[in-house]
Amino acid sequence: MAQSPTRAADRVDETRLWQRHMAMARLGARADGGVNRQALSDEDIAARRQLIGWAAARGFTCAVDPIGNLFVRRAGRERDLPPVLTGSHLDSQPSGGKFDGTYGVLAGLEVLEALEDARVTTRRPIEAVAWTNEEGSRFQPGAMGSAAFVGRVQLVALRDTVDRAGIRLGDALDATLAATPGLARRALGFPVAAYIESHIEQGPLLEADGKVIGAVTGIQGSRWFAVEVTGEEAHAGTTPLKIRKDALKAAMAMVAALEALMADATDVVRFTVGRFDVSPNSPNTVPGRVFFTIDFRHPDPAVLQRLGDQVPALCAAHARGCAVSVTPTFDAPPTHFTQGIVASISAAAARLGLPHRDIFSGAFHDAKFLAEVAPTGMIFVPCARGISHNPAESAKASDLAAGARVLAEVLAELAEQ
Ligand code: GLV
Ligand code: MN
Ligand code: MN
């Protein structure tokens, strides 16, 4: 006979969850309805304080680790067992939406509250976590908090990373930690029993397929590069073309060559130049310096290697007399989530009567790194027309609540193991 849903899933409160999304969206609100809450900014600090306030109001304890990952804990019956973690991130793209990342953190908090409301105890503690700097838009690379947590990157090396205004990550981090005082301190990388992340899909498949829940099977691989082209500033009216070292024209030739390299009739390769800074950015000075980024993704590690390894030589071949440096800033292989967890997510959706399907993620998530240290899975819910990294990002309150109910089921199960 099919099991019935737990009492915790029944206590997920759609209105509370929705209102919290709207409250978070006010922190860094943009005039166009979107959110600009970049990592370790004043807006991020405000969001952290809001989360800490909601947690404290329910008697949950909060802790922070050296990179600012913020943990909200509901104790288990056996207090010293490694916790089951759930969460995502509170930082956004500069022109982000209300749901990317925020949903996973708020769904986690919602489940902690639903467990309280249902008076359900769990053997293990369950913690909702907000990972620091998942987006990687202000400080590169992304998923920094989770990568540092699992030891993939070292915090000491990251501290000297600067944003476009020249602010060091280390200084922004120290300011963020100082602005949220009184939290218990945690070490990086404590043992984790399992990790489940809820997220909007950020693609169109669930909506097109009429499904409410995606049981995520894995995440494609990503490689990022930072390219710096250095030419020579010169007078636009007087300098003959043949003696110019025009950093912009060189960078444009590089991007065109990269576009040709990454061309894929099957539309599986994802290639993006998302940042392009020209200096001095004056109409009548030949550009002396260009900085641009490459974000390149694919599910197949062999393709990631074959195409990605050609990037430095291709840029050098189109330098047109300029100097070029190509620095890899992120290299994450494809991830395959734990099969038993994917199956638990599908089974929970089925118990709750929610249409579901397996799905593979094109976006990366903190779960990518947690999968290296603990059984890990993700729950996707639909977002309108798959739009994300866009102020117009939109999701239905009922779908967000449905995902939180599935999360409640899976967390309750894992926390008894
Ligand atoms: C996450 O924000 C990504 O770029 O996939
Ligand atoms: Mn995200
Ligand atoms: Mn994102």
Side-chain angles (χ1 to χ4, degrees), residues 56-127:
R58 282 312 288 255
F60 302 137
T61 49
C62 293
V64 72
D65 72 10
I67 198 164
N69 296 320
L70 177 59
F71 302 88
V72 177
R73 179 180 177 94
R74 182 173 189 264
R77 293 190 300 278
E78 295 181 39
R79 48 171 292 147
D80 295 329
L81 285 181
V84 174
L85 290 192
T86 183
S88 192
H89 57 99
L90 291 173
D91 66 311
S92 81
Q93 290 285 316
S95 59
K98 300 181 180 74
F99 304 97
D100 175 1
T102 301
Y103 172 53
V105 177
L106 294 183
L109 179 65
E110 181 59 37
V111 171
L112 298 191
E113 296 213 40
L115 288 162
E116 285 288 295
D117 293 341
R119 297 183 208 285
V120 170
T121 66
T122 56
R123 176 169 171 252
R124 292 178 183 277
I126 303 178
E127 299 190 3

Side-chain angles (χ1 to χ4, degrees), residues 88-89 100-101 134-135 199 202 364-365:
S88 192
H89 57 99
D100 175 1
E134 192 274 347
E135 294 292 1
H199 210 282
Q202 305 183 284
F364 62 72
H365 300 282

Side-chain angles (χ1 to χ4, degrees), residues 55-345:
R58 282 312 288 255
F60 302 137
T61 49
C62 293
V64 72
D65 72 10
I67 198 164
N69 296 320
L70 177 59
F71 302 88
V72 177
R73 179 180 177 94
R74 182 173 189 264
R77 293 190 300 278
E78 295 181 39
R79 48 171 292 147
D80 295 329
L81 285 181
V84 174
L85 290 192
T86 183
S88 192
H89 57 99
L90 291 173
D91 66 311
S92 81
Q93 290 285 316
S95 59
K98 300 181 180 74
F99 304 97
D100 175 1
T102 301
Y103 172 53
V105 177
L106 294 183
L109 179 65
E110 181 59 37
V111 171
L112 298 191
E113 296 213 40
L115 288 162
E116 285 288 295
D117 293 341
R119 297 183 208 285
V120 170
T121 66
T122 56
R123 176 169 171 252
R124 292 178 183 277
I126 303 178
E127 299 190 3
V129 49
W131 302 107
T132 293
N133 186 26
E134 192 274 347
E135 294 292 1
S137 46
R138 179 177 178 200
F139 297 107
Q140 287 82 57
M144 198 182 263
S146 50
F149 183 83
V150 305
R152 256 303 193 103
V153 293
Q154 299 307 313
L155 177 53
V156 276
L158 296 172
R159 286 184 65 90
D160 287 327
T161 308
V162 288
D163 69 5
R164 291 173 90 180
I167 298 172
R168 285 176 67 247
L169 178 133
D171 295 335
L173 175 59
D174 293 346
T176 300
L177 293 175
T180 48
L183 301 177
R185 291 297 177 121
R186 285 277 186 80
L188 283 168
F190 54 81
V192 172
Y195 177 68
I196 309 292
E197 180 163 348
S198 313
H199 210 282
I200 57 166
E201 179 199 339
Q202 305 183 284
L205 300 180
L206 292 177
E207 186 182 59
D209 223 6
K211 306 289 196 233
V212 175
I213 298 296
V216 185
T217 55
I219 300 182
Q220 70 176 337
S222 313
R223 293 182 73 173
W224 283 15
F225 300 88
V227 183
E228 180 143 17
V229 186
T230 310
E232 196 169 75
E233 290 173 21
H235 196 291
T238 60
T239 316
L241 291 185
K242 58 177 181 283
I243 65 161
R244 290 185 185 191
K245 290 182 183 169
D246 185 326
L248 177 56
K249 286 192 179 148
M252 285 164 54
M254 292 173 201
V255 173
L258 290 166
E259 179 93 353
L261 172 73
M262 305 279 178
D264 173 15
T266 61
D267 198 12
V268 178
V269 174
R270 298 280 177 265
F271 165 68
T272 306
V273 173
R275 183 173 160 194
F276 204 91
D277 293 336
V278 180
S279 40
N281 217 3
S282 162
N284 48 353
T285 296
V286 174
R289 178 184 170 273
V290 168
F291 173 89
F292 70 94
T293 55
I294 298 168
D295 173 320
F296 150 58
R297 310 188 192 198
H298 200 274
D300 181 345
V303 176
L304 281 169
Q305 181 165 358
R306 179 172 58 80
L307 295 181
D309 288 357
Q310 294 179 61
V311 168
L314 202 63
C315 290
H318 292 82
R320 296 178 164 211
C322 298
V324 59
S325 75
V326 179
T327 310
T329 54
F330 191 54
D331 188 351
T335 303
H336 300 283
F337 289 136
T338 314
Q339 275 181 2
I341 292 201
V342 179
S344 293
I345 291 169

Side-chain angles (χ1 to χ4, degrees), residues 348-374:
R351 280 201 297 283
L352 291 161
L354 296 165
H356 61 93
R357 56 165 280 178
D358 285 0
I359 192 164
F360 192 69
S361 178
F364 62 72
H365 300 282
D366 295 300
K368 187 169 200 46
F369 288 106
L370 271 290
E372 295 181 6
V373 297

